Amino acid sequence: MSRVAVKLSCTNEQEMALNKLARSRTEQARLVERAQIVLACLSGKRNDEIATEMKLRPNTVGIWRNRFATHGLAGLYDHARSGKPATYDHPALRQRILTQLEMPPPDGMSTWDGGLLAVSLGVSPDIVWRILRKEGIQLQRHRSWCVSTDPEFAAKSADVIGLYLDPPHNALVLSIDEKPSIQAIERTCGYVHTSSGKIVRAMKSTYKRHGTLNLFAALQVATGQIQGKITATKKRIDFQAFLDDVIAEQPEEREIHIVLDNLSTHKGNADWLAAHPNVTLHFTPTSASWLNQIEIWFGILQRKALRGASFESIEKLTQAIEDFTAAYNKSASPFVWRKREVKGAQLRNTIVNLCN
């Protein structure tokens, strides 16, 4: 006497879920296969027919037919398995690792790494790395930061951002700073074929130095236009001369607001300000020159005109900067302020937070 297979039925929601799983390209292959088995069963096919079409054993089809009949969609998933017992008590070892990271590294070492932690704790390096990966701790990756502890951070940053978002009517708002000690370096550059088959930009390791120069630059916040001036030094007299150049074509009665960082050259200009009562200087908070929009343009200049280039002389470097500025101004547009929150002191010891 032959056995009769369980007759299956399902709801519309279950059928939709089964079809989605059976067509999935991201789910585990065994789950896709089980969904296809159940759909074939629901279509009225016998176990042996399905097994022949899918090149499976009939009892395999019977297992998933019965699992679906008893448990529905949940029956297609594997039950949790006990697995091999853990060699270490992970919660306790996790706490030991985090505590050790707060301790000074061994003599002669600047930082901890996985091997040093394993030796210090007397455990396997593998378990140390597994716990570090789980916590997202990357001991060899580094990031720099700039934290402002200026007690007037909120007021100063609001003043600067206010000029970006809502400048005074008919006023000229300028963002000014200097990029000092730009080196005229001459070296061979070009494209090379690497051992991995990639073609990359390359620079010869040997080079010649031909001196340095200083670049003063002013960004018109409303238009994005750049006005620059190259000098041999960056003294106060150079800074004031650049300010004279920037406002030379502006009517004396026009209100001018200039955003600056806290470089000593930018301060102590009372005599110059007295001669230009229409000019107001606005200083970013200390250690927060990134609030000054001209810094964005300096980054663009570095990436597109200076990095990876070769200059045979100071004159060649000067010409390259002037050419880039002229080309940039042809399609310049203002930077749009999008940052929702601006904070000063925001550095926290993350390892301590994980320990708590």
Side-chain angles (χ1 to χ4, degrees), residues 76 115 150 175 221 297 300 335 337:
L76 303 186
D150 193 324
S175 172
V221 172
W297 186 80
I300 296 172
F335 297 123
W337 186 266

Side-chain angles (χ1 to χ4, degrees), residues 189-211:
C189 305
Y191 291 93
V192 298
H193 217 137
T194 66
S195 57
S196 63
K198 305 294 183 182
I199 298 176
V200 301
R201 182 76 174 167
M203 297 175 290
K204 193 174 181 180
S205 59
T206 57
Y207 54 85
K208 294 181 181 179
R209 299 178 187 270
H210 297 289

Side-chain angles (χ1 to χ4, degrees), residues 59-102:
N59 62 338
T60 300
V61 178
I63 289 173
W64 299 112
R65 178 191 287 269
N66 294 333
R67 287 275 292 269
F68 183 81
T70 306
H71 302 289
L73 284 170
L76 303 186
Y77 293 85
D78 294 326
H79 297 307
R81 301 176 183 178
S82 60
K84 181 181 178 181
T87 307
Y88 302 99
D89 181 1
H90 284 206
L93 182 56
R94 170 189 179 275
Q95 189 65 31
R96 289 175 63 200
I97 290 173
L98 296 177
T99 301
Q100 193 70 23
L101 285 174
E102 283 296 290

